PDB file of all heavy atoms in Angstrom:
ATOM      1  N   GLU A 233       2.778 -26.929  46.896  1.00  0.00           N
ATOM      2  CA  GLU A 233       3.855 -27.885  46.678  1.00  0.00           C
ATOM      3  C   GLU A 233       4.961 -27.216  45.858  1.00  0.00           C
ATOM      4  O   GLU A 233       4.724 -26.365  45.015  1.00  0.00           O
ATOM      5  CB  GLU A 233       3.355 -29.115  45.948  1.00  0.00           C
ATOM      6  CG  GLU A 233       2.733 -28.853  44.581  1.00  0.00           C
ATOM      7  CD  GLU A 233       2.240 -30.119  43.918  1.00  0.00           C
ATOM      8  OE1 GLU A 233       1.440 -30.846  44.564  1.00  0.00           O
ATOM      9  OE2 GLU A 233       2.626 -30.367  42.778  1.00  0.00           O
ATOM     10  N   LYS A 234       6.178 -27.621  46.166  1.00  0.00           N
ATOM     11  CA  LYS A 234       7.321 -27.091  45.451  1.00  0.00           C
ATOM     12  C   LYS A 234       7.374 -27.719  44.061  1.00  0.00           C
ATOM     13  O   LYS A 234       7.085 -28.885  43.870  1.00  0.00           O
ATOM     14  CB  LYS A 234       8.610 -27.378  46.202  1.00  0.00           C
ATOM     15  CG  LYS A 234       8.763 -26.614  47.504  1.00  0.00           C
ATOM     16  CD  LYS A 234      10.102 -26.916  48.153  1.00  0.00           C
ATOM     17  CE  LYS A 234      10.268 -26.106  49.428  1.00  0.00           C
ATOM     18  NZ  LYS A 234      11.582 -26.379  50.088  1.00  0.00           N
ATOM     19  N   THR A 235       7.746 -26.906  43.093  1.00  0.00           N
ATOM     20  CA  THR A 235       7.861 -27.399  41.717  1.00  0.00           C
ATOM     21  C   THR A 235       9.017 -26.728  41.022  1.00  0.00           C
ATOM     22  O   THR A 235       9.444 -25.620  41.402  1.00  0.00           O
ATOM     23  CB  THR A 235       6.558 -27.129  40.935  1.00  0.00           C
ATOM     24  OG1 THR A 235       6.659 -27.723  39.642  1.00  0.00           O
ATOM     25  CG2 THR A 235       6.316 -25.637  40.765  1.00  0.00           C
ATOM     26  N   THR A 236       9.538 -27.369  40.038  1.00  0.00           N
ATOM     27  CA  THR A 236      10.626 -26.820  39.230  1.00  0.00           C
ATOM     28  C   THR A 236      10.257 -26.965  37.757  1.00  0.00           C
ATOM     29  O   THR A 236       9.389 -27.786  37.387  1.00  0.00           O
ATOM     30  CB  THR A 236      11.961 -27.541  39.470  1.00  0.00           C
ATOM     31  OG1 THR A 236      11.802 -28.924  39.112  1.00  0.00           O
ATOM     32  CG2 THR A 236      12.373 -27.427  40.944  1.00  0.00           C
ATOM     33  N   PHE A 237      10.869 -26.173  36.931  1.00  0.00           N
ATOM     34  CA  PHE A 237      10.645 -26.320  35.496  1.00  0.00           C
ATOM     35  C   PHE A 237      11.967 -26.081  34.783  1.00  0.00           C
ATOM     36  O   PHE A 237      12.865 -25.415  35.285  1.00  0.00           O
ATOM     37  CB  PHE A 237       9.586 -25.331  34.990  1.00  0.00           C
ATOM     38  CG  PHE A 237      10.083 -23.912  34.847  1.00  0.00           C
ATOM     39  CD1 PHE A 237      10.645 -23.470  33.667  1.00  0.00           C
ATOM     40  CD2 PHE A 237      10.015 -23.031  35.927  1.00  0.00           C
ATOM     41  CE1 PHE A 237      11.106 -22.173  33.543  1.00  0.00           C
ATOM     42  CE2 PHE A 237      10.467 -21.717  35.812  1.00  0.00           C
ATOM     43  CZ  PHE A 237      11.013 -21.291  34.601  1.00  0.00           C
ATOM     44  N   GLU A 238      12.046 -26.643  33.594  1.00  0.00           N
ATOM     45  CA  GLU A 238      13.225 -26.438  32.758  1.00  0.00           C
ATOM     46  C   GLU A 238      12.807 -26.471  31.287  1.00  0.00           C
ATOM     47  O   GLU A 238      12.079 -27.357  30.861  1.00  0.00           O
ATOM     48  CB  GLU A 238      14.304 -27.495  33.001  1.00  0.00           C
ATOM     49  CG  GLU A 238      15.558 -27.283  32.146  1.00  0.00           C
ATOM     50  CD  GLU A 238      16.628 -28.310  32.422  1.00  0.00           C
ATOM     51  OE1 GLU A 238      16.336 -29.326  33.077  1.00  0.00           O
ATOM     52  OE2 GLU A 238      17.763 -28.101  31.968  1.00  0.00           O
ATOM     53  N   ILE A 239      13.238 -25.463  30.559  1.00  0.00           N
ATOM     54  CA  ILE A 239      13.004 -25.403  29.129  1.00  0.00           C
ATOM     55  C   ILE A 239      14.353 -25.552  28.432  1.00  0.00           C
ATOM     56  O   ILE A 239      15.301 -24.810  28.698  1.00  0.00           O
ATOM     57  CB  ILE A 239      12.363 -24.061  28.710  1.00  0.00           C
ATOM     58  CG1 ILE A 239      10.994 -23.892  29.353  1.00  0.00           C
ATOM     59  CG2 ILE A 239      12.256 -23.967  27.180  1.00  0.00           C
ATOM     60  CD1 ILE A 239      10.365 -22.532  29.126  1.00  0.00           C
ATOM     61  N   VAL A 240      14.461 -26.554  27.592  1.00  0.00           N
ATOM     62  CA  VAL A 240      15.690 -26.758  26.836  1.00  0.00           C
ATOM     63  C   VAL A 240      15.486 -26.176  25.435  1.00  0.00           C
ATOM     64  O   VAL A 240      14.753 -26.749  24.615  1.00  0.00           O
ATOM     65  CB  VAL A 240      16.079 -28.255  26.758  1.00  0.00           C
ATOM     66  CG1 VAL A 240      17.364 -28.423  25.948  1.00  0.00           C
ATOM     67  CG2 VAL A 240      16.249 -28.834  28.149  1.00  0.00           C
ATOM     68  N   GLY A 241      16.089 -25.032  25.190  1.00  0.00           N
ATOM     69  CA  GLY A 241      15.983 -24.392  23.883  1.00  0.00           C
ATOM     70  C   GLY A 241      17.291 -24.481  23.143  1.00  0.00           C
ATOM     71  O   GLY A 241      18.349 -24.835  23.700  1.00  0.00           O
ATOM     72  N   GLY A 242      17.252 -24.154  21.854  1.00  0.00           N
ATOM     73  CA  GLY A 242      18.454 -24.272  21.045  1.00  0.00           C
ATOM     74  C   GLY A 242      19.177 -22.955  20.815  1.00  0.00           C
ATOM     75  O   GLY A 242      20.163 -22.923  20.082  1.00  0.00           O
ATOM     76  N   MET A 243      18.715 -21.863  21.415  1.00  0.00           N
ATOM     77  CA  MET A 243      19.294 -20.551  21.167  1.00  0.00           C
ATOM     78  C   MET A 243      20.656 -20.395  21.805  1.00  0.00           C
ATOM     79  O   MET A 243      20.849 -20.742  22.979  1.00  0.00           O
ATOM     80  CB  MET A 243      18.355 -19.463  21.702  1.00  0.00           C
ATOM     81  CG  MET A 243      18.891 -18.036  21.539  1.00  0.00           C
ATOM     82  SD  MET A 243      17.830 -16.813  22.370  1.00  0.00           S
ATOM     83  CE  MET A 243      16.390 -16.843  21.306  1.00  0.00           C
ATOM     84  N   CYS A 244      21.600 -19.897  21.033  1.00  0.00           N
ATOM     85  CA  CYS A 244      22.913 -19.561  21.593  1.00  0.00           C
ATOM     86  C   CYS A 244      22.728 -18.442  22.603  1.00  0.00           C
ATOM     87  O   CYS A 244      22.141 -17.393  22.289  1.00  0.00           O
ATOM     88  CB  CYS A 244      23.867 -19.109  20.480  1.00  0.00           C
ATOM     89  SG  CYS A 244      25.401 -18.393  21.062  1.00  0.00           S
ATOM     90  N   PRO A 245      23.214 -18.607  23.841  1.00  0.00           N
ATOM     91  CA  PRO A 245      22.970 -17.578  24.870  1.00  0.00           C
ATOM     92  C   PRO A 245      23.693 -16.264  24.620  1.00  0.00           C
ATOM     93  O   PRO A 245      23.256 -15.241  25.123  1.00  0.00           O
ATOM     94  CB  PRO A 245      23.447 -18.264  26.161  1.00  0.00           C
ATOM     95  CG  PRO A 245      24.437 -19.287  25.697  1.00  0.00           C
ATOM     96  CD  PRO A 245      23.951 -19.761  24.367  1.00  0.00           C
ATOM     97  N   GLN A 246      24.773 -16.297  23.849  1.00  0.00           N
ATOM     98  CA  GLN A 246      25.538 -15.056  23.671  1.00  0.00           C
ATOM     99  C   GLN A 246      24.945 -14.177  22.582  1.00  0.00           C
ATOM    100  O   GLN A 246      24.777 -12.984  22.766  1.00  0.00           O
ATOM    101  CB  GLN A 246      26.997 -15.381  23.340  1.00  0.00           C
ATOM    102  CG  GLN A 246      27.850 -14.106  23.157  1.00  0.00           C
ATOM    103  CD  GLN A 246      29.331 -14.379  23.281  1.00  0.00           C
ATOM    104  OE1 GLN A 246      29.756 -15.382  23.826  1.00  0.00           O
ATOM    105  NE2 GLN A 246      30.147 -13.460  22.768  1.00  0.00           N
ATOM    106  N   CYS A 247      24.629 -14.754  21.428  1.00  0.00           N
ATOM    107  CA  CYS A 247      24.117 -13.934  20.320  1.00  0.00           C
ATOM    108  C   CYS A 247      22.595 -13.967  20.220  1.00  0.00           C
ATOM    109  O   CYS A 247      22.011 -13.341  19.344  1.00  0.00           O
ATOM    110  CB  CYS A 247      24.720 -14.373  19.003  1.00  0.00           C
ATOM    111  SG  CYS A 247      24.247 -16.052  18.481  1.00  0.00           S
ATOM    112  N   GLU A 248      21.940 -14.738  21.093  1.00  0.00           N
ATOM    113  CA  GLU A 248      20.484 -14.854  21.129  1.00  0.00           C
ATOM    114  C   GLU A 248      19.923 -15.327  19.801  1.00  0.00           C
ATOM    115  O   GLU A 248      18.888 -14.856  19.321  1.00  0.00           O
ATOM    116  CB  GLU A 248      19.844 -13.530  21.554  1.00  0.00           C
ATOM    117  CG  GLU A 248      20.244 -13.113  22.971  1.00  0.00           C
ATOM    118  CD  GLU A 248      19.577 -11.829  23.409  1.00  0.00           C
ATOM    119  OE1 GLU A 248      19.093 -11.094  22.518  1.00  0.00           O
ATOM    120  OE2 GLU A 248      19.533 -11.573  24.610  1.00  0.00           O
ATOM    121  N   GLY A 249      20.630 -16.264  19.168  1.00  0.00           N
ATOM    122  CA  GLY A 249      20.112 -16.906  17.974  1.00  0.00           C
ATOM    123  C   GLY A 249      20.316 -16.145  16.685  1.00  0.00           C
ATOM    124  O   GLY A 249      19.787 -16.569  15.649  1.00  0.00           O
ATOM    125  N   THR A 250      21.073 -15.064  16.691  1.00  0.00           N
ATOM    126  CA  THR A 250      21.301 -14.299  15.458  1.00  0.00           C
ATOM    127  C   THR A 250      22.553 -14.761  14.728  1.00  0.00           C
ATOM    128  O   THR A 250      22.705 -14.494  13.531  1.00  0.00           O
ATOM    129  CB  THR A 250      21.425 -12.807  15.743  1.00  0.00           C
ATOM    130  OG1 THR A 250      22.574 -12.568  16.564  1.00  0.00           O
ATOM    131  CG2 THR A 250      20.163 -12.293  16.451  1.00  0.00           C
ATOM    132  N   GLY A 251      23.474 -15.428  15.435  1.00  0.00           N
ATOM    133  CA  GLY A 251      24.708 -15.853  14.816  1.00  0.00           C
ATOM    134  C   GLY A 251      25.751 -14.743  14.706  1.00  0.00           C
ATOM    135  O   GLY A 251      26.851 -14.962  14.219  1.00  0.00           O
ATOM    136  N   ARG A 252      25.393 -13.561  15.167  1.00  0.00           N
ATOM    137  CA  ARG A 252      26.287 -12.399  15.066  1.00  0.00           C
ATOM    138  C   ARG A 252      26.444 -11.735  16.414  1.00  0.00           C
ATOM    139  O   ARG A 252      25.546 -11.789  17.261  1.00  0.00           O
ATOM    140  CB  ARG A 252      25.759 -11.368  14.068  1.00  0.00           C
ATOM    141  CG  ARG A 252      25.662 -11.872  12.664  1.00  0.00           C
ATOM    142  CD  ARG A 252      25.271 -10.757  11.712  1.00  0.00           C
ATOM    143  NE  ARG A 252      23.945 -10.240  12.043  1.00  0.00           N
ATOM    144  CZ  ARG A 252      22.810 -10.697  11.514  1.00  0.00           C
ATOM    145  NH1 ARG A 252      22.854 -11.697  10.660  1.00  0.00           N
ATOM    146  NH2 ARG A 252      21.662 -10.162  11.831  1.00  0.00           N
ATOM    147  N   ALA A 253      27.575 -11.114  16.613  1.00  0.00           N
ATOM    148  CA  ALA A 253      27.835 -10.373  17.850  1.00  0.00           C
ATOM    149  C   ALA A 253      28.405  -9.014  17.473  1.00  0.00           C
ATOM    150  O   ALA A 253      29.038  -8.847  16.429  1.00  0.00           O
ATOM    151  CB  ALA A 253      28.806 -11.133  18.741  1.00  0.00           C
ATOM    152  N   SER A 254      28.161  -8.033  18.326  1.00  0.00           N
ATOM    153  CA  SER A 254      28.632  -6.671  18.072  1.00  0.00           C
ATOM    154  C   SER A 254      29.698  -6.299  19.100  1.00  0.00           C
ATOM    155  O   SER A 254      29.506  -6.506  20.298  1.00  0.00           O
ATOM    156  CB  SER A 254      27.473  -5.673  18.148  1.00  0.00           C
ATOM    157  OG  SER A 254      26.461  -6.009  17.237  1.00  0.00           O
ATOM    158  N   THR A 255      30.776  -5.755  18.620  1.00  0.00           N
ATOM    159  CA  THR A 255      31.821  -5.247  19.483  1.00  0.00           C
ATOM    160  C   THR A 255      31.735  -3.738  19.458  1.00  0.00           C
ATOM    161  O   THR A 255      31.814  -3.108  18.391  1.00  0.00           O
ATOM    162  CB  THR A 255      33.218  -5.697  18.991  1.00  0.00           C
ATOM    163  OG1 THR A 255      33.254  -7.114  18.928  1.00  0.00           O
ATOM    164  CG2 THR A 255      34.297  -5.201  19.937  1.00  0.00           C
ATOM    165  N   LEU A 256      31.561  -3.132  20.631  1.00  0.00           N
ATOM    166  CA  LEU A 256      31.337  -1.700  20.719  1.00  0.00           C
ATOM    167  C   LEU A 256      32.644  -0.947  20.927  1.00  0.00           C
ATOM    168  O   LEU A 256      33.533  -1.401  21.652  1.00  0.00           O
ATOM    169  CB  LEU A 256      30.365  -1.384  21.849  1.00  0.00           C
ATOM    170  CG  LEU A 256      28.991  -2.019  21.758  1.00  0.00           C
ATOM    171  CD1 LEU A 256      28.142  -1.647  22.956  1.00  0.00           C
ATOM    172  CD2 LEU A 256      28.296  -1.592  20.471  1.00  0.00           C
ATOM    173  N   ASP A 257      32.751   0.198  20.307  1.00  0.00           N
ATOM    174  CA  ASP A 257      33.903   1.096  20.459  1.00  0.00           C
ATOM    175  C   ASP A 257      33.588   2.058  21.589  1.00  0.00           C
ATOM    176  O   ASP A 257      32.727   2.940  21.445  1.00  0.00           O
ATOM    177  CB  ASP A 257      34.158   1.825  19.151  1.00  0.00           C
ATOM    178  CG  ASP A 257      35.410   2.696  19.197  1.00  0.00           C
ATOM    179  OD1 ASP A 257      35.972   2.853  20.302  1.00  0.00           O
ATOM    180  OD2 ASP A 257      35.821   3.199  18.140  1.00  0.00           O
ATOM    181  N   ILE A 258      34.294   1.893  22.705  1.00  0.00           N
ATOM    182  CA  ILE A 258      33.994   2.728  23.879  1.00  0.00           C
ATOM    183  C   ILE A 258      34.251   4.197  23.592  1.00  0.00           C
ATOM    184  O   ILE A 258      33.554   5.083  24.113  1.00  0.00           O
ATOM    185  CB  ILE A 258      34.851   2.264  25.084  1.00  0.00           C
ATOM    186  CG1 ILE A 258      34.392   0.859  25.506  1.00  0.00           C
ATOM    187  CG2 ILE A 258      34.739   3.223  26.258  1.00  0.00           C
ATOM    188  CD1 ILE A 258      35.133   0.291  26.669  1.00  0.00           C
ATOM    189  N   ASP A 259      35.226   4.503  22.749  1.00  0.00           N
ATOM    190  CA  ASP A 259      35.529   5.899  22.436  1.00  0.00           C
ATOM    191  C   ASP A 259      34.404   6.599  21.706  1.00  0.00           C
ATOM    192  O   ASP A 259      34.328   7.824  21.677  1.00  0.00           O
ATOM    193  CB  ASP A 259      36.809   5.979  21.587  1.00  0.00           C
ATOM    194  CG  ASP A 259      38.061   5.566  22.379  1.00  0.00           C
ATOM    195  OD1 ASP A 259      38.027   5.671  23.626  1.00  0.00           O
ATOM    196  OD2 ASP A 259      39.042   5.129  21.753  1.00  0.00           O
ATOM    197  N   VAL A 260      33.503   5.823  21.109  1.00  0.00           N
ATOM    198  CA  VAL A 260      32.336   6.411  20.450  1.00  0.00           C
ATOM    199  C   VAL A 260      31.211   6.615  21.445  1.00  0.00           C
ATOM    200  O   VAL A 260      30.283   7.396  21.211  1.00  0.00           O
ATOM    201  CB  VAL A 260      31.888   5.522  19.276  1.00  0.00           C
ATOM    202  CG1 VAL A 260      30.658   6.080  18.572  1.00  0.00           C
ATOM    203  CG2 VAL A 260      33.019   5.399  18.255  1.00  0.00           C
ATOM    204  N   MET A 261      31.273   5.919  22.572  1.00  0.00           N
ATOM    205  CA  MET A 261      30.244   6.055  23.609  1.00  0.00           C
ATOM    206  C   MET A 261      30.526   7.226  24.541  1.00  0.00           C
ATOM    207  O   MET A 261      29.621   7.977  24.900  1.00  0.00           O
ATOM    208  CB  MET A 261      30.139   4.764  24.418  1.00  0.00           C
ATOM    209  CG  MET A 261      29.479   3.611  23.704  1.00  0.00           C
ATOM    210  SD  MET A 261      29.174   2.235  24.824  1.00  0.00           S
ATOM    211  CE  MET A 261      30.791   1.462  24.816  1.00  0.00           C
ATOM    212  N   VAL A 262      31.786   7.340  24.994  1.00  0.00           N
ATOM    213  CA  VAL A 262      32.131   8.378  25.969  1.00  0.00           C
ATOM    214  C   VAL A 262      33.447   9.028  25.583  1.00  0.00           C
ATOM    215  O   VAL A 262      34.314   8.418  24.954  1.00  0.00           O
ATOM    216  CB  VAL A 262      32.255   7.798  27.395  1.00  0.00           C
ATOM    217  CG1 VAL A 262      30.919   7.304  27.911  1.00  0.00           C
ATOM    218  CG2 VAL A 262      33.291   6.695  27.452  1.00  0.00           C
ATOM    219  N   ASP A 263      33.575  10.308  25.991  1.00  0.00           N
ATOM    220  CA  ASP A 263      34.848  11.024  25.864  1.00  0.00           C
ATOM    221  C   ASP A 263      35.499  10.961  27.250  1.00  0.00           C
ATOM    222  O   ASP A 263      35.066  11.655  28.185  1.00  0.00           O
ATOM    223  CB  ASP A 263      34.571  12.466  25.451  1.00  0.00           C
ATOM    224  CG  ASP A 263      35.869  13.241  25.201  1.00  0.00           C
ATOM    225  OD1 ASP A 263      36.933  12.772  25.652  1.00  0.00           O
ATOM    226  OD2 ASP A 263      35.788  14.308  24.570  1.00  0.00           O
ATOM    227  N   ALA A 264      36.524  10.112  27.367  1.00  0.00           N
ATOM    228  CA  ALA A 264      37.118   9.847  28.683  1.00  0.00           C
ATOM    229  C   ALA A 264      37.797  11.069  29.278  1.00  0.00           C
ATOM    230  O   ALA A 264      38.060  11.107  30.493  1.00  0.00           O
ATOM    231  CB  ALA A 264      38.121   8.692  28.580  1.00  0.00           C
ATOM    232  N   ASP A 265      38.082  12.067  28.469  1.00  0.00           N
ATOM    233  CA  ASP A 265      38.769  13.264  28.973  1.00  0.00           C
ATOM    234  C   ASP A 265      37.795  14.297  29.523  1.00  0.00           C
ATOM    235  O   ASP A 265      38.199  15.386  29.929  1.00  0.00           O
ATOM    236  CB  ASP A 265      39.607  13.909  27.860  1.00  0.00           C
ATOM    237  CG  ASP A 265      40.778  13.025  27.454  1.00  0.00           C
ATOM    238  OD1 ASP A 265      41.330  12.347  28.342  1.00  0.00           O
ATOM    239  OD2 ASP A 265      41.107  13.004  26.255  1.00  0.00           O
ATOM    240  N   LYS A 266      36.510  13.961  29.524  1.00  0.00           N
ATOM    241  CA  LYS A 266      35.503  14.898  30.043  1.00  0.00           C
ATOM    242  C   LYS A 266      34.734  14.270  31.193  1.00  0.00           C
ATOM    243  O   LYS A 266      34.701  13.031  31.333  1.00  0.00           O
ATOM    244  CB  LYS A 266      34.515  15.297  28.935  1.00  0.00           C
ATOM    245  CG  LYS A 266      35.114  16.124  27.817  1.00  0.00           C
ATOM    246  CD  LYS A 266      34.045  16.502  26.777  1.00  0.00           C
ATOM    247  CE  LYS A 266      34.630  17.354  25.654  1.00  0.00           C
ATOM    248  NZ  LYS A 266      33.596  17.690  24.656  1.00  0.00           N
ATOM    249  N   SER A 267      34.090  15.104  31.977  1.00  0.00           N
ATOM    250  CA  SER A 267      33.163  14.617  33.010  1.00  0.00           C
ATOM    251  C   SER A 267      31.760  14.604  32.423  1.00  0.00           C
ATOM    252  O   SER A 267      31.527  15.102  31.310  1.00  0.00           O
ATOM    253  CB  SER A 267      33.216  15.561  34.216  1.00  0.00           C
ATOM    254  OG  SER A 267      32.699  16.832  33.857  1.00  0.00           O
ATOM    255  N   LEU A 268      30.823  14.040  33.179  1.00  0.00           N
ATOM    256  CA  LEU A 268      29.434  14.024  32.705  1.00  0.00           C
ATOM    257  C   LEU A 268      28.912  15.437  32.508  1.00  0.00           C
ATOM    258  O   LEU A 268      28.184  15.727  31.551  1.00  0.00           O
ATOM    259  CB  LEU A 268      28.547  13.242  33.686  1.00  0.00           C
ATOM    260  CG  LEU A 268      28.870  11.756  33.841  1.00  0.00           C
ATOM    261  CD1 LEU A 268      27.886  11.111  34.822  1.00  0.00           C
ATOM    262  CD2 LEU A 268      28.806  11.038  32.504  1.00  0.00           C
ATOM    263  N   ASN A 269      29.277  16.334  33.411  1.00  0.00           N
ATOM    264  CA  ASN A 269      28.826  17.731  33.293  1.00  0.00           C
ATOM    265  C   ASN A 269      29.446  18.452  32.110  1.00  0.00           C
ATOM    266  O   ASN A 269      28.944  19.482  31.671  1.00  0.00           O
ATOM    267  CB  ASN A 269      29.151  18.494  34.579  1.00  0.00           C
ATOM    268  CG  ASN A 269      28.098  18.270  35.652  1.00  0.00           C
ATOM    269  OD1 ASN A 269      26.952  17.944  35.348  1.00  0.00           O
ATOM    270  ND2 ASN A 269      28.475  18.417  36.924  1.00  0.00           N
ATOM    271  N   GLU A 270      30.545  17.885  31.592  1.00  0.00           N
ATOM    272  CA  GLU A 270      31.216  18.497  30.442  1.00  0.00           C
ATOM    273  C   GLU A 270      30.795  17.843  29.126  1.00  0.00           C
ATOM    274  O   GLU A 270      31.302  18.212  28.075  1.00  0.00           O
ATOM    275  CB  GLU A 270      32.738  18.377  30.613  1.00  0.00           C
ATOM    276  CG  GLU A 270      33.295  19.226  31.760  1.00  0.00           C
ATOM    277  CD  GLU A 270      34.765  18.920  32.038  1.00  0.00           C
ATOM    278  OE1 GLU A 270      35.214  17.789  31.741  1.00  0.00           O
ATOM    279  OE2 GLU A 270      35.449  19.824  32.561  1.00  0.00           O
TER     280      GLU A 270
END
Side-chain angles (χ1 to χ4, degrees):
E233 59 181 54
K234 291 183 178 180
T235 185
T236 61
F237 76 90
E238 181 179 13
I239 298 173
V240 179
M243 178 187 289
C244 169
Q246 181 161 341
C247 66
E248 297 182 341
T250 64
R252 297 186 297 269
S254 302
T255 303
L256 301 179
D257 185 350
I258 294 181
D259 292 336
V260 178
M261 286 189 278
V262 294
D263 185 344
D265 293 326
K266 293 181 179 180
S267 66
L268 296 181
N269 278 335
E270 292 171 333

